[in-house]
Amino acid sequence: MITYEEAIAITEEYKPGCEIEYVPLIDSLGRFLAEDIKSDIDMPPFNKTAVDGYACRREDLFKELVINEVVPAGVTAKKRIETGECAKIMTGAALPDGADWIFMVEDAQEDNDRVKFTGKPGKNNIAKRGEDIEKGDTVLLAGKRIEPQDIAVLATVGAVRVPVSKPLRVGIISTGNELVEPHNKPKPSHIRNSNAYQLIAQTMKAGAEAYYYGIAHDKEEEIFEMLKRAISECEIILLTGGVSMGDFDMVPAVLQKAGVRIIFDRVAVQPGKPTTFGVHKDALVFGLPGNPVSSFIQFELFVKAMIHRAMGAIQSESDRKHKLAKDYSRRRTRRMAWVPVNINDDESVTPVEYHGSAHINALPGAYGVMKIPVGVSEIKKGEIVDVRQI
Ligand code: AMP
Ligand code: MG
């Protein structure tokens, strides 16, 4: 059995390859940017007014001014501002030549093509060309996951074909004679397959593409056939179930038969000790424990980071520090435990009711899982714990 830290260090050495593709602007939402994006223009592209108001010369601010024209946004002023003159100008319009000041409509009294400034002089209300972005500036970094606000930046700089990482293909196989698909009512001794769908969802949320191969019975040939297909089609394969010590846990044997070199098969984490990781020349393979909470947490700990590394994502996953709101204790301390917790209004965390790795409905209400290091049996109320958000 290896430690969590050793297992992380090992998996970090493996990085599946990932290609780039160019997608239309709006299709890039949720994708990982594959190249830095630079601006092809200054923003604003011209000196513009940030308010509806009157453009004049600063030295004329306290004179009664003649309005020489009205300038809507999108139109260039025809006249130059001379002494004693101003132009009425709308938000977003370019500053007319000769003007160096704009006062707001709210601070003005207009009467018969003439206007007087009635406010206190403050700022000039001019948004200067290039003050937000200069031509050639890098506006978004490779590896960023594209959010709606990034779409605005991409649109502004004309990046209409967006370079993104192609989604990594993640194959998912459930194993177990007791499993039926969710649309079936389980017969006695059967349970519904929840892992596959949970893993599909985790894979999609991580930005990769899920390929689901179905349920394999605990028969070597059945698992072998699905695994072979998955290896030929995917970069990462996730099998669930069949990695413990039971008589029908045949995943490790099948992995070897399929040419997968097993790198580790026991990790000192709870839940999820039998987590298995192996390498095939065409794919990386995880054998995840059958219990749904274990499978969920092991994906979060190992698989998600691997997908993100492969897709060039800026790594943002890290555990956050929170105060523990209630004493915590456990008896065995040989493994690192990950315990589902809720978050309270004061940002402290409290362990949720949790009966173990099969207790699937402990997770939906949880804010995250807190890390209990090896050797630690007690954490007192008020102490700081590391929490991974889920
Ligand atoms: P195993 O790892 O195959 O020994 O399975 C451990 C436990 O997880 C058993 O109680 C299984 O019935 C359960 N289990 C295995 N696969 C799944 C699955 N796909 N969905 C839900 N529970 C599962
Ligand atoms: Mg099983």
Side-chain angles (χ1 to χ4, degrees), residues 174-175 178-179 191-196 240-242 244 249 289-292:
S174 294
T175 73
E178 74 280 30
L179 301 178
I191 60 162
R192 289 194 174 107
N193 173 18
S194 58
N195 282 346
T240 68
S244 319
D249 288 333
N291 271 314

Side-chain angles (χ1 to χ4, degrees), residues 180-191:
V180 296
E181 293 294 15
H183 60 270
N184 297 310
K185 187 100 179 171
K187 298 202 180 76
S189 304
H190 285 187
I191 60 162

Side-chain angles (χ1 to χ4, degrees), residues 83-110:
T83 304
E85 292 179 351
C86 71
K88 191 169 188 184
I89 182 171
M90 310 302 148
T91 306
L95 184 71
D97 286 345
D100 59 2
W101 199 267
I102 297 158
F103 56 92
M104 292 164 62
V105 189
E106 290 86 338
D107 293 335
Q109 209 172 17
E110 188 184 317

